[in-house]
Amino acid sequence: MIAHPASRRRIAVLALAVVAYALAAWAVAPGFYDGIAPPQPYRWLSPPPQFRSANQLPLSGHATVRVAANGVVDPASVFTQDGQAAVSFVPGAFVTPADRSPVTIDIKPQTTSPNPGKVQLVTNVYCVTSSSTMAPGKDILVTLQFSTQIQAPSDVYEYQGDGPWQKLGSTGSAAPYYVAARATALGCFAAGSVASSGSSSAPQGAQGGGGNTLPIIVALAILVVVLAGIPLAVLRRRGSSEDAGDEETG
């Protein structure tokens, strides 16, 4: 049975749509998925044994924040060069220098820190300093990345001077493999969880092999399969309906 010209045209349009869909998917990869893909391998200052062979040292961050015309220090977000640590704040979070000079802010990974006790730290320790003190009643948002190959930390912790460590909690994060919390003072920060009796005491709390990564990979794979199957399902359904119509008219 020969399909009508109109039917052939509709099928051809659907076929072109399927091809265009596939080409578009290939064209945007990998950039299109950057927002949901796991970040680059974590840079450890003191890497656990399983990460030592390919480890790169973490980077620091530096920024200069100007004073606005109204005499208030501008808002800003300051990141380390590798994106593993960041601080963000609103206007007026820092005291304006007497000469209205810009405020400098530094984020540096710390080689030594007080004993965290029962807290199992799973990130580097980052210390934040500035050329001006924080304004009373203001806070900063501290965001820390953690490795895709470890169990996610539950909270951000902070210490000042010689310690001890204090729990800041967690505000949550929209991005995978990041944890954030608000702090009312500058200091040194790391992410971790209270160690359970059966957990390992290895430095930095690195455990397991990708317990967080596998579910995300599986979910993305299912999503890709479902999306890829939609045009084909439409094509088949349209073709079956038209074939049935042709038989009735024939």
Side-chain angles (χ1 to χ4, degrees), residues 38-53:
Q40 293 297 313
Y42 193 80
R43 293 171 173 258
W44 298 94
L45 193 60
S46 299
Q50 63 268 43
F51 302 129
R52 286 175 184 167
S53 60

Side-chain angles (χ1 to χ4, degrees), residues 147-165:
S147 171
T148 63
Q149 301 298 311
I150 62 170
Q151 185 67 32
S154 59
D155 298 289
V156 175
Y157 291 81
E158 174 195 26
Y159 77 87
Q160 298 180 18
D162 296 328
W165 286 91

Side-chain angles (χ1 to χ4, degrees), residues 185-214:
L186 300 183
C188 299
F189 306 89
S193 305
V194 176
S196 61
S197 57
S199 62
S200 170
S201 58
Q204 303 292 355
Q207 298 178 2
N212 295 323
T213 306
L214 184 58

Side-chain angles (χ1 to χ4, degrees), residues 25-238:
W26 281 103
V28 298
F32 180 78
Y33 297 105
D34 282 351
I36 55 178
Q40 293 297 313
Y42 193 80
R43 293 171 173 258
W44 298 94
L45 193 60
S46 299
Q50 63 268 43
F51 302 129
R52 286 175 184 167
S53 60
N55 182 65
Q56 298 183 58
L57 291 177
L59 304 177
S60 59
H62 173 82
T64 301
V65 185
R66 72 182 185 91
V67 177
N70 61 359
V72 175
V73 178
D74 276 347
S77 291
V78 183
F79 301 84
T80 57
Q81 296 177 63
D82 49 24
Q84 292 188 175
V87 293
S88 304
F89 46 88
V90 299
F94 289 87
V95 174
T96 302
D99 59 356
R100 293 199 173 190
S101 60
V103 175
T104 58
I105 297 175
D106 289 279
I107 308 175
K108 296 181 179 180
Q110 184 74 7
T111 55
T112 60
S113 61
N115 189 327
K118 294 183 178 180
V119 177
Q120 191 172 25
L121 301 179
V122 296
T123 68
N124 299 320
V125 177
Y126 289 92
C127 293
V128 182
T129 58
S130 72
S131 61
S132 180
T133 59
M134 288 186 61
K138 298 294 185 178
D139 59 28
I140 58 173
L141 181 68
V142 180
T143 303
L144 300 173
Q145 179 189 334
F146 55 90
S147 171
T148 63
Q149 301 298 311
I150 62 170
Q151 185 67 32
S154 59
D155 298 289
V156 175
Y157 291 81
E158 174 195 26
Y159 77 87
Q160 298 180 18
D162 296 328
W165 286 91
Q166 302 290 335
K167 177 181 173 180
L168 294 180
S170 172
T171 61
S173 175
Y177 310 111
Y178 286 85
V179 61
R182 295 192 176 279
T184 57
L186 300 183
C188 299
F189 306 89
S193 305
V194 176
S196 61
S197 57
S199 62
S200 170
S201 58
Q204 303 292 355
Q207 298 178 2
N212 295 323
T213 306
L214 184 58
I216 292 179
I217 293 176
V218 172
L220 290 176
I222 294 173
L223 179 61
V224 170
V225 171
V226 171
L227 291 177
I230 290 176
L232 295 177
V234 173
L235 178 61
R236 290 178 179 175
R237 183 174 300 176
R238 183 64 62 84

